[in-house]
Amino acid sequence: MKFPNHVIHRRHRGSRTFMDGAAATTAIKFVRDRGLDHAVEREKNLRPLLNVKNLIKSEPSKSLPISIIAQNKDSLKIPSRPIEFIRKYPSVFHEFLPGGIGIHPHIKLTQEVLDIDADEHLVYESDSYRQLVANRLLKLLMISRMNKIPINILDKLKWDLGLPQNYLKTLVPDFPDCFRVVGSNESGQLELVCRSDELAVSILEKKAMEGGSGYSKGMPLAFPVKFSKGFEMDKKVKKWWDDWQKLPYVSPYENALHLSPKTDESDKWAAAVLHEILNLFVAKKAERDDVLCIGEYLGIRSRFKRVLLHHPHIFYLSSKIGTYTVVLKEAYKRGLLIENNPLMNIRNRYLHLMHTVKEHGKDISMSTGTNQEKKAASNASKKEAGDDDSEEENNGLSVTFSGSETENGGRRGSREAVAVSRRTTTRSKRKNGDLKTHLGDGEGERAMGRRHSRTKPKVPQPLNASTNVHRRSQQRSSS
């Protein structure tokens, strides 16, 4: 579908943008990014697992019957049968029968997950992290035109913002000069008390100022982009994209009501708002429904949808884990988060423990990787061929799996990899035996002779009379 030039270049008079309507879906094709999909998929069950962990930890006995967990399945967001979910992570949950009585099994936490939980608590209690979280809330309130955000929306974004469990009682009261709660906790709002001009600077503006480019408010500012492998853009769309990047940058902390809807200027401001919000999240990603929820409260839900549709090279939309997840592409490199965050370090430790399976009393790490069976087989073969302590090392064998195999394989995958290594070890022994047959010291010839003697057919020997008499006497004595 072709557009005349006057339609493309009338953006400054409030006309509809070139990337509008059907042209958007035909001009820009979605290309999957395996690294970002993996970054989303590897955290598939982390949130429900931590929900169950926090519920068990809140009990005085530090344990719960599985029936209570099943009753709270929806609120805990458990994706499968609770008992199956619990048994999927034996390194996190321990199942037992209280007093040895045959009743419903109880669940408690392992010492390994309790150690990580203690470190997580230290992170939440540290002054530096508390100030960091307070700044996130303050910046989010300043983005809102009404300088207020409902508590129910904050509860949806609690995971993404890295808020403590009971942040309304443990965090908000310690910053009375920044914000306060208005109304009840259920239907109340978090209200801005004092605006901070120092914090009212977007991450893009801050980087531009630090770069020494002489940037000032209102100047054009381009978004950093990452094109997925295989992404293509035709000439007209490329021309539109270059012009869009050269438009003046309107800060997400500024009122942009003067911009007409469905224009490139409005789209760039909405992209700036979404870009800044994703930068406030600890993982630089969030479920699309949660993003659209905050967009609806800000009054720009439809603009958020247009931004996600028109700019997949800035905001990646992953369809993994049964929902859509918005990922800030520039924040990741080869599927890994670039920014070092103390809370994300704790979450990565939880993920490592989740992917650790106990096999014969030993821990087998199920970390992510490729060519798993080959690596396991190679390591086992080397240990058998040239190491006298191979048996001891095999007891601590570390096997790697991809994220999808970890989710679906569990213990079965680890046993399969160990079986592959054992088969490879057997083959290596056979090869070593064949090589010995070609040695020149006579040992090989004797081995060759023994091998042929096993396959050589046996020829019955003729029996003489004395032999027959002797055998008959043996048979009578035995009877």
Side-chain angles (χ1 to χ4, degrees):
M1 183 175 182
K2 296 183 178 180
F3 290 82
N5 293 332
H6 70 276
V7 174
I8 300 176
H9 297 288
R10 282 175 52 197
R11 290 186 292 269
H12 296 282
R13 292 195 292 271
S15 63
R16 293 168 68 85
T17 174
F18 168 73
M19 298 303 297
D20 188 52
T25 57
T26 57
I28 297 181
K29 294 182 179 180
F30 176 78
V31 178
R32 287 196 175 277
D33 191 306
R34 296 178 61 185
L36 296 180
D37 280 338
H38 175 70
V40 172
E41 191 175 22
R42 68 189 293 264
E43 298 183 14
K44 178 179 180 180
N45 291 331
L46 180 59
R47 289 180 68 174
L49 181 135
L50 295 185
N51 290 338
V52 177
K53 184 263 297 182
N54 292 331
L55 179 62
I56 296 175
K57 185 187 171 186
S58 64
E59 290 296 311
S61 63
K62 307 302 179 185
S63 64
L64 270 179
I66 189 63
S67 57
I68 299 297
I69 298 177
Q71 292 174 8
N72 296 275
K73 175 184 175 181
D74 294 336
S75 60
L76 296 174
K77 298 182 179 180
I78 299 178
S80 59
R81 289 183 59 206
I83 189 62
E84 294 176 356
F85 183 81
I86 293 297
R87 291 173 178 173
K88 190 175 184 179
Y89 303 106
S91 298
V92 178
F93 303 111
H94 176 65
E95 181 182 346
F96 68 100
L97 294 175
I101 306 175
I103 60 176
H104 291 295
H106 282 53
I107 308 299
K108 66 179 181 179
L109 302 174
T110 63
Q111 187 58 46
E112 292 85 354
V113 75
L114 288 174
D115 293 340
I116 302 177
D117 178 82
D119 292 340
E120 181 184 11
H121 182 71
L122 292 177
V123 170
Y124 282 128
E125 291 297 321
S126 64
D127 294 336
S128 59
Y129 186 79
R130 289 168 64 83
Q131 186 63 56
L132 188 64
V133 175
N135 290 344
R136 291 192 197 120
L137 287 176
L138 190 58
K139 291 170 77 72
L140 191 61
L141 287 170
M142 289 190 294
I143 291 176
S144 173
R145 295 197 304 266
M146 295 177 288
N147 295 330
K148 294 180 181 179
I149 296 181
I151 298 300
N152 61 347
I153 293 182
L154 286 179
D155 288 341
K156 289 184 177 182
L157 302 176
K158 181 168 61 176
W159 170 267
D160 303 310
L161 291 169
L163 299 176
Q165 280 295 109
N166 198 3
Y167 66 97
L168 293 178
K169 293 182 179 180
T170 61
L171 178 71
V172 172
D174 292 343
F175 297 91
D177 297 335
C178 299
F179 34 70
R180 64 189 175 195
V181 177
V182 180
S184 62
N185 291 349
E186 293 77 15
S187 59
Q189 294 180 323
L190 188 67
E191 182 181 49
L192 179 69
V193 173
C194 183
R195 184 180 177 88
S196 173
D197 293 336
E198 181 182 357
L199 292 177
V201 179
S202 69
I203 186 69
L204 286 183
E205 292 176 310
K206 184 178 180 180
K207 290 181 179 180
M209 293 175 182
E210 293 175 349
S213 59
Y215 172 81
S216 60
K217 291 280 185 179
M219 291 180 61
L221 191 60
F223 287 87
V225 297
K226 284 189 175 181
F227 296 99
S228 300
K229 186 178 181 179
F231 179 83
E232 295 181 356
M233 187 183 298
D234 61 35
K235 294 181 179 179
K236 285 188 177 181
V237 178
K238 182 66 168 60
K239 176 64 168 59
W240 167 83
W241 166 246
D242 292 338
D243 291 343
W244 187 86
Q245 285 278 54
K246 295 175 183 178
L247 290 174
Y249 176 85
V250 181
S251 173
Y253 299 98
E254 297 180 11
N255 192 341
L257 292 178
H258 63 282
L259 299 177
S260 301
K262 296 184 179 181
T263 60
D264 284 341
E265 291 83 357
S266 175
D267 278 357
K268 187 164 186 178
W269 172 75
V273 174
L274 180 56
H275 184 274
E276 184 70 5
I277 290 177
L278 287 177
N279 267 289
L280 296 180
F281 295 161
V282 292
K284 314 302 180 188
K285 60 183 176 65
E287 292 186 9
R288 185 188 64 172
D289 292 344
D290 294 339
V291 170
L292 295 181
C293 179
I294 185 65
E296 184 174 3
Y297 176 73
L298 298 176
I300 54 176
R301 177 188 175 96
S302 60
R303 301 189 193 187
F304 274 5
K305 285 186 174 181
R306 288 167 57 83
V307 166
L308 295 176
L309 178 65
H310 296 168
H311 304 286
H313 33 277
I314 304 176
F315 311 104
Y316 180 73
L317 201 60
S318 175
S319 60
K320 294 294 182 179
I321 68 173
T323 185
Y324 287 100
T325 305
V326 182
V327 185
L328 186 62
K329 296 192 73 171
E330 67 185 82
Y332 285 81
K333 183 178 182 180
R334 296 179 180 177
L336 298 176
L337 187 64
I338 298 175
E339 181 182 282
N340 185 24
N341 185 284
L343 185 58
M344 286 304 298
N345 293 337
I346 293 293
R347 291 180 181 177
N348 287 332
R349 289 176 60 188
Y350 280 121
L351 289 172
H352 179 76
L353 184 62
M354 290 168 59
H355 299 159
T356 300
V357 175
K358 293 185 179 297
E359 188 77 17
H360 303 298
K362 300 293 183 179
D363 289 344
I364 297 181
S365 177
M366 309 283 285
S367 58
T368 57
T370 57
N371 297 329
Q372 303 86 357
E373 292 83 1
K374 291 182 179 180
K375 291 182 180 179
S378 176
N379 292 336
S381 176
K382 291 179 181 178
K383 292 174 184 177
E384 281 289 334
D387 197 342
D388 295 336
D389 299 329
S390 60
E391 183 176 355
E392 296 180 2
E393 293 182 8
N394 282 334
N395 288 336
L397 179 65
S398 177
V399 186
T400 57
F401 290 86
S402 66
S404 60
E405 290 170 337
T406 300
E407 295 294 341
N408 300 326
R411 295 189 175 196
R412 179 179 58 82
S414 65
R415 285 193 286 266
E416 289 176 356
V418 173
V420 171
S421 66
R422 289 173 178 171
R423 289 196 299 269
T424 307
T425 303
T426 304
R427 288 196 296 268
S428 66
K429 288 183 178 180
R430 292 174 180 173
K431 289 181 180 179
N432 292 337
D434 292 340
L435 290 175
K436 290 179 180 179
T437 60
H438 298 285
L439 297 178
D441 57 357
E443 179 64 25
E445 296 176 0
R446 288 191 293 272
M448 181 71 75
R450 287 194 298 269
R451 187 173 63 181
H452 285 301
S453 65
R454 287 195 298 268
T455 58
K456 190 175 182 179
K458 295 182 179 180
V459 179
Q461 298 295 329
L463 300 177
N464 52 31
S466 60
T467 303
N468 292 335
V469 171
H470 178 67
R471 287 190 176 182
R472 284 197 296 269
S473 62
Q474 284 184 339
Q475 290 176 358
R476 285 196 297 272
S477 61
S478 63
S479 60

